[in-house]
Amino acid sequence: MKVKYSYLEEQFKDHKEIFNRLDKLIQSGDYTLGKPVQEFEQKFAGLIGTKYAIGVNSGTDALFLSLKAIGVGQGDEVITVPNTFIATVGAIMATGARPVFVDVTDEFTINPELIEHTITKNTKAIMPVHYAGHPADMSDIMDIAKRYELPVIEDSCQAISAAIDGQCVGTFGLTGGFSLHPLKNLNVWGDGGIIVTNSEEILDRLLLLRNHGLKNRDEVDTFGYNSRLDSLQAVVGNYLINDMHTITETRIKWANKLDSALAGLKNFVTIPKRRPNKRYVYHLYIIIVKKRDELLSYLIKNEIEAKIHYPMPLHLQPAAAHLGYKKGDFPVTESQCSSMLTLPVHQHLGEKQIDYMIEKITKFYR
Ligand SMILES: *Cc1c(COP(=O)(O)O)cnc(C)c1O
């Protein structure tokens, strides 16, 4: 039996309806912004529960433009985590600001207790990451942010529809950035991203920033960027957003099944803490395991495409050398990097494949 990590071929095996919609778009000539983008923005804002959503070129740009919209630049500092996808830090670097790392908890999200002592007079924002689809502790983070009057930009790229007490992540801070990359829970046929906010002021700034800063056809107040959500991608997004409920619920179902089965292997497998008031959407189903590298090879040999997200933390990446961090600075992140494993839990897997993974993992430790 094969348990594949990627499901794009299956997901788009029947793409006739999307082609029909693209055909209409092509004949309309509405190639930049226009109706499909507006429709997607409205649907997305509805899904997450914000007043506004602004479609942009990628998840990375969703974060970068959010930082630009609040004026982050050279000499500023942005607090984030070292256990994220490179793009979180890339977006901060692209503004000219300096990323300041804070270690995470055993839930893989920023440890609120460690934030305060990293705040300096140069701190301009806090950027928690809802890593793997695990909601960060937003109420503690927002308390600190309010006390220091710091805006919060939520990296929600891996966490569409994740929630705390029924409130979606991305809506606690000033903005939330989401990715529509092919491997994210809500995907398009290339790159795409979207920002949510309830602030009209931020909305206005983002609308300018993503479209050259153009106030109207001929007038520019502030120079911006070309970072529009592609209209073709918005057509794909409008089609797929209707499946979000099924996609999310299936991932949760497989994750819950794995959680209960793997609980029986507690000498070897640690399941991250799950809190009853949080909705985890399992963009990545991550566990902490003994003999990780051996287990990984064993699973690959048995045609189970397990992975590691990610083996090297950001503070130890060659690109971050000038920041002056060293091994040992973030012990929780570093320990997780050497013992974490991601199992596939996507919506195109069936019960049999989940059972097969459980069987093989159990066999490995027996
Ligand atoms: C995917 C991802 C991004 C970047 O999104 P792109 O659409 O690939 O630019 C940023 N942060 C995190 C945590 C991600 O997983």
Side-chain angles (χ1 to χ4, degrees):
M1 190 177 309
K2 260 194 183 142
V3 185
K4 282 172 54 172
Y5 192 83
S6 172
Y7 45 86
L8 297 175
E9 282 165 38
E10 278 156 282
Q11 189 181 16
F12 297 115
K13 208 184 285 166
D14 180 12
H15 51 257
K16 226 177 284 147
E17 173 55 22
I18 302 179
F19 267 27
N20 289 342
R21 294 187 187 193
L22 288 174
D23 195 47
K24 273 195 204 119
L25 175 79
I26 286 157
Q27 297 190 41
S28 78
D30 212 2
Y31 297 161
T32 55
L33 299 175
K35 236 170 65 188
V37 174
Q38 258 172 17
E39 184 189 333
F40 184 72
E41 289 172 339
Q42 275 163 16
K43 282 187 175 170
F44 197 84
L47 176 75
I48 304 300
T50 47
K51 281 197 199 145
Y52 312 112
I54 304 99
V56 294
N57 180 59
S58 66
T60 308
D61 275 6
L63 304 173
F64 169 71
L65 294 175
S66 291
L67 292 169
K68 292 302 284 185
I70 57 171
V72 171
Q74 201 83 44
D76 296 336
E77 293 172 3
V78 177
I79 294 171
T80 192
V81 287
N83 75 330
T84 181
F85 179 58
I86 293 148
T88 313
V89 177
I92 297 169
M93 296 295 298
T95 66
R98 180 187 179 85
V100 173
F101 295 124
V102 168
D103 209 355
V104 297
T105 67
D106 55 7
E107 290 184 72
F108 293 83
T109 52
I110 194 164
N111 185 342
E113 286 174 16
L114 304 177
I115 293 177
E116 217 163 328
H117 75 259
T118 64
I119 296 175
T120 71
K121 62 179 192 329
N122 297 323
T123 307
K124 284 288 147 53
I126 305 176
M127 193 141 89
V129 179
H130 304 293
Y131 189 66
H134 301 182
D137 290 323
M138 289 315 296
S139 78
D140 292 346
I141 296 165
M142 292 312 294
D143 279 349
I144 298 165
K146 277 191 194 113
R147 243 181 307 125
Y148 289 87
E149 295 179 40
L150 288 171
V152 173
I153 308 291
E154 293 174 65
D155 182 341
S156 313
C157 285
Q158 301 190 353
I160 292 181
S161 290
I164 304 168
D165 293 316
Q167 182 181 345
C168 278
V169 303
T171 67
F172 292 87
L174 186 58
T175 75
F178 293 85
S179 167
L180 307 170
H181 181 277
L183 286 179
K184 297 290 158 75
N185 290 17
L186 172 58
N187 53 356
V188 294
W189 284 353
D191 282 307
I194 190 157
I195 305 164
V196 296
T197 186
N198 285 313
S199 158
E200 198 179 329
E201 195 189 329
I202 292 293
L203 166 75
D204 290 343
R205 241 173 281 164
L206 287 170
L207 291 177
L208 288 178
L209 285 174
R210 78 162 173 193
N211 195 26
H212 307 293
L214 281 171
K215 215 162 76 174
N216 53 50
R217 190 175 167 277
D218 300 315
E219 230 182 314
V220 61
D221 270 349
T222 164
F223 288 108
Y225 303 88
N226 179 347
S227 181
R228 302 175 289 241
L229 173 61
D230 200 290
S231 307
L232 286 156
Q233 302 301 355
V235 169
V236 181
N238 281 325
Y239 177 81
L240 278 181
I241 199 169
N242 301 324
D243 296 343
M244 256 340 271
H245 181 75
T246 316
I247 291 171
T248 307
E249 289 302 328
T250 309
R251 285 176 173 273
I252 292 173
K253 181 171 75 179
W254 296 149
N256 288 345
K257 190 175 159 88
L258 284 165
D259 274 5
S260 36
L262 298 177
L265 294 172
K266 63 175 177 306
N267 292 335
F268 311 104
V269 176
T270 307
I271 294 155
K273 201 170 280 158
R274 314 287 190 210
R275 302 197 183 267
N277 67 328
K278 287 186 178 177
R279 186 185 199 221
Y280 302 82
V281 296
Y282 304 106
H283 170 63
L284 309 170
Y285 179 84
I286 295 184
I287 49 178
I288 298 286
V289 297
K290 294 245 168 82
K291 296 201 261 178
R292 193 267 314 271
D293 294 340
E294 288 102 309
L295 175 61
L296 178 62
S297 331
Y298 176 80
L299 294 177
I300 302 280
K301 212 175 69 205
N302 284 283
E303 300 199 294
I304 297 167
E305 270 187 85
K307 290 191 186 287
I308 301 168
H309 295 89
Y310 302 93
M312 193 195 285
L314 264 297
H315 68 289
L316 301 179
Q317 292 285 350
H322 66 289
L323 297 173
Y325 290 107
K326 59 184 186 314
K327 209 165 171 180
D329 283 346
F330 304 104
V332 179
T333 293
E334 290 170 29
S335 143
Q336 287 170 349
C337 281
S338 60
S339 57
M340 70 207 289
L341 187 76
T342 308
L343 300 174
V345 291
H346 58 79
Q347 66 271 21
H348 294 275
L349 294 175
E351 190 102 40
K352 277 204 187 102
Q353 288 159 303
I354 305 298
D355 286 336
Y356 176 70
M357 283 197 284
I358 294 166
E359 179 201 315
K360 287 299 170 194
I361 295 168
T362 309
K363 200 164 164 194
F364 174 80
Y365 287 115
R366 218 192 288 125

